[in-house]
Amino acid sequence: MSNGCIFCAIAAGQIPARIVCESENLVAFLDIQPVREGHTLIIPRAHYRFFDDMPAELAQETIVMGQKIARAQKKLWGVERVGFMYSGVDVAHAHAHLVPMQEPTDLTSRRYIVEENLTFRHPPRVGPEALETVGARLEGALKEPA
């Protein structure tokens, strides 16, 4: 556990999060500032600053859990694809984002955007009640056979 790391504290159960899936090595929970409803983060319980610092086996386990969550997200939100990415921008603890993509720009690169001057902001923060409702739906879908 890295001192002062919010994701380490979540993994240790010291900070509440709406967990939807977990294993011995990983915790998946809802993002409190979701790009789309169901936006989920997968973090290793151990502290690794960036995804390329993780052992290959742990990265593989993250992908497998991500595929399971993505299948549930597709079913629940009726989307064709779920974006999966590691960005490492806000918190220096390896974390994968899984976003049910409703628009092509839900996960994108600045290189695809034609307009020169854009304004960006964090999506609105969701309250505990909304996290619980969405989390219960996603957690239930993850328990259903594939």
Side-chain angles (χ1 to χ4, degrees):
M1 183 164 159
S2 181
N3 204 10
C5 174
I6 190 168
F7 285 172
C8 283
I10 288 172
Q14 298 169 343
I15 292 178
R18 184 48 174 98
I19 296 172
V20 296
C21 189
E22 58 186 318
S23 70
E24 180 182 339
N25 299 314
L26 301 171
V27 178
F29 57 95
L30 294 178
D31 194 309
I32 62 171
Q33 293 179 296
V35 172
R36 293 289 179 189
E37 188 175 69
H39 180 169
T40 302
L41 301 177
I42 301 176
I43 63 169
R45 290 184 187 275
H47 185 80
Y48 298 96
R49 285 181 50 82
F50 305 109
F51 82 95
D52 52 325
D53 296 331
M54 294 171 26
E57 300 79 27
L58 186 57
Q60 180 180 13
E61 187 180 338
T62 304
I63 293 289
V64 171
M65 182 181 280
Q67 289 176 321
K68 178 181 178 180
I69 294 169
R71 286 190 288 274
Q73 289 172 321
K74 285 179 176 183
K75 185 188 304 184
L76 285 174
W77 285 281
V79 295
E80 183 178 4
R81 82 177 44 131
V82 171
F84 181 99
M85 77 169 183
Y86 281 95
S87 63
V89 175
D90 295 322
V91 179
H93 181 122
H95 57 286
H97 293 261
L98 284 93
V99 178
M101 293 183 67
Q102 296 176 8
E103 300 288 334
T105 55
D106 285 344
L107 297 179
T108 193
S109 166
R110 176 92 168 105
R111 299 181 70 145
Y112 291 108
I113 300 169
V114 176
E115 292 78 13
E116 292 279 330
N117 299 312
L118 297 175
T119 303
F120 291 93
R121 61 172 168 72
H122 284 289
R125 188 173 181 149
V126 222
E129 302 82 18
L131 288 174
E132 182 54 39
T133 300
V134 173
R137 288 180 63 209
L138 183 53
E139 194 174 23
L142 287 168
K143 292 177 182 173
E144 295 174 7

